[in-house]
Amino acid sequence: MIIVTGASRGLGLEIAKAIVKNGGSVLGMARHEPKDPALLSDNFKFACCDVSDYEGLKQVANSLKKEKVLLEGIINAAGVASMNLAVLTPSHVVDRLIDVNLKGTIFSCQLFAPLLFRRKQGFIINFSTIAVSIGLKGESIYVASKAGIEGFSRAFAREAADFNVRVNCVAPGCIETNMTKQYLNSEEGREQLINSTPLKRIGAPEDVAKAV
């Protein structure tokens, strides 16, 4: 079984679908159950959980231990975004970005990685963004939360390596999802993004799913 957080939409949904399509078994986690018919399969199980809720994640982890589930990997795709200048970003938005993106990824690794460590095999994939490397204006807080994931992943990879578990971090460019709609609604902004992309198109969730 492979855990996929944020499995109800966007990148998490496409990744879960790709795994199931290829015969893999997925435990999807999100605040809302996905309605995609591609996941109407015995290979897809769902747990309603917010990744920023440590106790909620712990209950899922304890259930997996009790059921002696053979975990193959963890894909931490859950995330939120908010575009605003740093000095204009309300504190509750800052909290949510850090809680879901950074703390949610850390909590998931803390609670589920031991299931991989016991088997001495498996993988973990965390998600950053190209906005970290380019320092995208108007996304300072979002970038901070994702930069934290990159740093955590580098260090955690060394810890996990002692148990033969791989840790990697994927940092996509602009992908057309519900999260990015607000940025892509502007025709001028969309055109600028397309012109700055080597393939001259906005990325699709399927592109990222294939990479993962």
Side-chain angles (χ1 to χ4, degrees):
M1 176 176 282
I2 297 172
I3 288 173
V4 180
T5 70
S8 65
R9 62 181 186 173
L11 301 183
L13 174 61
E14 288 303 323
I15 291 166
K17 286 163 59 177
I19 294 170
V20 170
K21 182 180 178 180
N22 285 282
S25 177
V26 171
L27 172 62
M29 286 192 288
R31 289 182 298 163
H32 306 288
E33 187 168 1
K35 303 300 182 184
D36 197 297
L39 293 179
L40 295 176
S41 164
D42 290 339
N43 284 350
F44 181 78
K45 308 296 181 187
F46 179 75
C48 184
C49 189
D50 187 321
V51 294
S52 67
D53 176 9
Y54 182 87
E55 292 303 322
L57 283 181
K58 188 175 181 180
Q59 287 182 14
V60 177
N62 288 338
S63 294
L64 295 178
K65 291 175 189 174
K66 186 177 180 180
E67 295 167 14
K68 297 183 179 179
V69 170
L70 294 180
L71 189 64
E72 298 176 67
I74 305 161
I75 301 173
N76 290 309
V80 293
S82 178
M83 191 169 185
N84 203 351
L85 297 176
V87 296
L88 299 178
T89 303
S91 62
H92 72 273
V93 175
V94 175
D95 288 341
R96 186 64 181 159
L97 288 167
I98 300 299
D99 285 349
V100 174
N101 296 346
L102 180 54
K103 290 169 68 175
T105 297
I106 292 172
F107 290 163
S108 176
C109 289
Q110 284 182 315
L111 292 166
F112 298 120
L115 296 172
L116 301 176
F117 292 171
R118 289 192 185 96
R119 299 183 64 207
K120 293 192 179 297
Q121 60 180 345
F123 66 89
I124 298 169
I125 299 175
N126 297 327
F127 270 84
S128 180
T129 168
I130 195 174
V132 171
S133 60
I134 66 175
L136 191 60
K137 180 182 178 181
E139 293 197 358
S140 302
I141 313 303
Y142 174 67
V143 164
S145 69
K146 292 295 190 174
I149 290 174
E150 289 192 11
F152 169 74
S153 298
R154 289 191 188 96
F156 190 59
R158 296 184 180 276
E159 298 175 19
D162 292 339
F163 301 93
N164 195 40
V165 172
R166 306 183 310 280
V167 179
N168 284 290
C169 195
V170 177
C174 186
I175 307 297
E176 190 131 22
T177 65
N178 287 334
M179 185 186 289
T180 59
K181 272 183 180 177
Q182 64 184 97
Y183 317 131
L184 299 176
N185 280 341
S186 162
E187 193 168 323
E188 182 182 350
R190 175 182 282 271
E191 191 69 23
Q192 288 177 348
L193 276 169
I194 290 173
N195 289 334
S196 67
T197 302
L199 289 178
K200 302 303 179 186
R201 68 173 176 84
I202 303 297
E206 294 86 347
D207 298 324
V208 180
K210 288 175 184 176
V212 170

